[in-house]
Amino acid sequence: MSDTPFGFGLPPEEPENGDEGKKKDQQSGGGQGPANPFGFGQPGAGGAGADNPLAAMFGSLNPNDLGAAFQQLGQMLSYEGGPVNWDMAKQIARQTVSQGTPDGTKDASVSPGERSAVEEAVRLADLWLDDATSLPSGAGSAVAWSRAEWVEATLPVWKELVDPVAERVGSAMGDVLPEEMQAMAGPLIGMMRSMGGAMFGTQIGQAVGVLAGEVVGSSDIGLPLGPAGKAALLPLNIEALGKDLGVPKEEVRLYLALREAAHQRLFAHVPWLRSHLFGAVEGYARGIKVDTAKLEDVVGQFDPQNPEELQQALQQGMFQPEDTPEQKAALARLETALALVEGWVDAVVHAAAKPRLGSADALRETLRRRRASGGPAEQTFATLIGLELRPRRLRDASRLWASLTDARGVDGRDGLWAHPDMLPTASDLDDPDGFVHREQLDFSELDKMLGEAAGGSGGKTDLTKKDDGDAEDDGAE
């Protein structure tokens, strides 16, 4: 990530897409900007710019560029939208993508051949998954995305994730002024909030742009980032992932298609799951407290010529989760939900791939390690929203789902998704065998109670069957 991602320099010209954009960059002299797309000119260049970044910026601009810089600054300070300037976030994300990944790989438009390969892989993956899960296909279509297309498609979901925390920080930025000053400092408060929105937008945009160079589909972080019913893969990133694995590219693509298609099934046929996960994120955000003392120091020493001080304050952890039972419960609920989603996908994909792919074990371990360690972009989100979107207990959850499959079969395992109260808890991940046997008894008693409530006929209601209408209705409620 950039050291000074929030300054007033001009961003490099963004290629529209792929190789054509790259050629456009080369012809226009663009594409050579620093890694900090909103930095103060070229860092470390020596001369006056080394001590005075504003002098470095203005000294290197012609009159037209200088006008554009002031126009951009005016747009930033006049922002009056929500807690995050998402227009700026999108712009920064696209610029970050256009600069390429550290290995020198540039974004490229998806070729017809790559598109066909992705569609075929998702189609075959869905056929294999039919034997491994009782949930039917959830992918109405399969698409191959470039990195820039991934940014465009996923920003609406990032907005849902980030806005709750950014709202709390934005409010705190106006509240740190003494009450008697707030009446006289309306413009200053407005400017601070505009700066805060731009600051968040810049950081989120950079993180999303970096993440676009790492992800291989729309569900890498365990949340449904893309449009519902659309299985998406990124051929360029899949090729980069498989480059050093010693596994045929077709097998890597197919294994990742299995994971994407499994996520699609789960979120398509468990109607409460998406709101459950996003509600857990929002519940966690509500318990975050802003370090007002640190924020007061920043505001009191705020220098309009050095707006990156606000940026640095965030990076140093200006807000922390409250040490309360409610906040701990919210975090545990979110971490457990992420682990259960990823563990189920891991178990189902392994069951489908193991008999058919010789590389299934190696690919499984690679994806587990990759998911557990995260990357620089995920670390940025952890700093910005105080939350790591990683399933810490992925292996425990996967073992629990495998035990459930052995004990109760595919239908019995997948039937637990009928309602959130039926899912394992964090303590159940410590004792999977106890959960499996305890739930067997609980289901019998629940069936009896539901049968009596339905009319006293003694008939059984099997909640583990995906085609049982009552169970689906109960889960939806």
Side-chain angles (χ1 to χ4, degrees):
M1 300 300 293
S2 162
D3 292 332
T4 56
F6 184 69
F8 298 134
L10 280 175
E13 182 179 0
E14 174 196 353
E16 294 177 356
N17 60 37
D19 294 334
E20 295 181 2
K22 181 178 178 182
K23 293 176 182 177
K24 179 180 177 182
D25 259 0
Q26 293 170 344
Q27 293 169 359
S28 64
Q32 304 300 320
N36 48 334
F38 275 78
F40 289 114
Q42 293 286 354
D51 299 320
N52 187 345
L54 290 177
M57 181 191 74
F58 293 133
S60 64
L61 297 181
N62 61 43
N64 291 334
D65 290 338
L66 183 60
F70 277 116
Q71 182 181 17
Q72 190 172 55
L73 174 59
Q75 291 173 349
M76 179 181 66
L77 294 179
S78 63
Y79 173 71
E80 296 180 352
V84 177
N85 188 332
W86 287 103
D87 290 337
M88 180 170 286
K90 177 179 175 179
Q91 180 184 5
I92 297 297
R94 293 291 300 257
Q95 290 164 357
T96 304
V97 164
S98 74
Q99 293 168 1
T101 49
D103 64 1
T105 304
K106 297 285 188 178
D107 195 18
S109 300
V110 178
S111 70
E114 290 171 329
R115 202 176 308 279
S116 297
V118 166
E119 292 172 352
E120 176 61 22
V122 173
R123 185 194 65 79
L124 184 57
D126 257 336
L127 288 176
W128 289 6
L129 288 172
D130 284 340
D131 297 332
T133 174
S134 61
L135 300 179
S137 174
S141 62
V143 294
W145 284 341
S146 67
R147 292 167 178 170
E149 288 171 326
W150 182 89
V151 168
E152 295 279 352
T154 61
L155 271 180
V157 178
W158 291 120
K159 187 176 188 300
E160 290 187 58
L161 284 171
V162 176
D163 271 354
V165 177
E167 180 66 46
R168 291 185 63 82
V169 178
S171 298
M173 292 177 76
D175 295 340
V176 294
L177 292 175
E179 188 173 339
E180 60 274 11
M181 290 182 59
Q182 292 192 18
M184 300 182 294
L188 176 60
I189 294 175
M191 186 187 77
M192 294 293 292
R193 288 181 173 168
S194 295
M195 295 284 282
M199 174 181 60
F200 260 108
T202 300
Q203 277 295 92
I204 293 299
Q206 285 190 325
V208 169
V210 172
L211 202 56
E214 302 172 356
V215 296
V216 294
S218 71
S219 54
D220 286 41
I221 67 167
L223 297 172
L225 295 180
K230 187 173 288 188
L233 295 175
L234 282 72
L236 182 62
N237 292 355
I238 290 175
E239 184 174 352
L241 174 66
K243 183 171 57 177
D244 300 322
L245 295 181
V247 176
K249 181 169 64 175
E250 294 76 14
E251 291 193 20
V252 176
R253 183 194 302 118
L254 183 52
Y255 192 87
L256 296 174
L258 282 166
R259 289 183 54 83
E260 179 73 11
H263 276 103
Q264 292 293 332
R265 289 185 181 225
L266 190 59
F267 283 100
H269 299 290
V270 182
W272 55 264
L273 182 56
R274 188 183 191 280
S275 60
H276 178 75
L277 283 168
F278 281 76
V281 172
E282 187 173 355
Y284 180 83
R286 282 196 300 268
I288 285 180
K289 62 181 179 181
V290 178
D291 188 341
T292 53
K294 182 179 291 187
L295 188 54
E296 285 174 359
D297 290 341
V298 173
V299 173
Q301 302 172 19
F302 177 68
D303 181 357
Q305 294 187 6
N306 293 289
E308 73 275 10
E309 289 178 358
L310 291 174
Q311 158 80 32
Q312 293 168 357
L314 271 187
Q315 291 178 330
Q316 293 168 5
M318 186 161 50
F319 48 87
Q320 300 292 336
E322 290 183 338
D323 188 19
T324 64
E326 293 79 11
Q327 182 69 347
K328 291 178 180 178
L331 180 59
R333 185 167 62 251
L334 178 58
E335 289 184 339
T336 300
L338 285 172
L340 290 175
V341 168
E342 290 293 278
W344 183 88
V345 169
D346 180 78
V348 166
V349 167
H350 185 69
K354 178 69 173 175
R356 300 175 174 96
L357 290 179
S359 57
D361 288 334
L363 288 170
R364 184 190 201 187
E365 186 60 26
T366 296
L367 269 295
R368 278 181 165 186
R369 291 181 179 180
R370 184 174 185 264
R371 187 70 181 90
S373 61
E378 289 193 27
Q379 291 298 324
T380 298
F381 285 115
T383 301
L384 281 175
I385 67 177
L387 178 65
E388 292 183 349
L389 296 173
R390 298 207 301 268
R392 298 177 182 276
R393 308 196 64 182
L394 166 60
R395 294 176 188 270
D396 294 336
S398 184
R399 282 193 291 268
L400 185 146
W401 289 119
S403 297
L404 282 167
T405 308
D406 293 339
R408 303 183 56 193
V410 168
D411 287 347
R413 176 200 66 200
D414 293 346
L416 291 177
W417 291 106
H419 193 278
D421 291 342
M422 298 167 64
L423 289 178
T425 63
S427 60
D428 293 325
L429 295 179
D430 298 326
D431 182 21
D433 291 336
F435 174 81
V436 170
H437 298 304
R438 184 174 70 251
E439 283 299 304
Q440 280 285 80
L441 296 175
D442 289 346
F443 267 108
S444 300
E445 190 63 28
L446 184 58
D447 286 343
K448 180 180 177 181
M449 293 171 59
L450 289 176
E452 292 174 351
S457 61
K460 294 189 69 176
T461 301
D462 188 356
L463 290 177
T464 68
K465 296 295 184 180
K466 66 182 175 65
D467 60 349
D468 184 84
D470 292 335
E472 288 182 348
D473 291 341
D474 181 61
E477 294 174 1

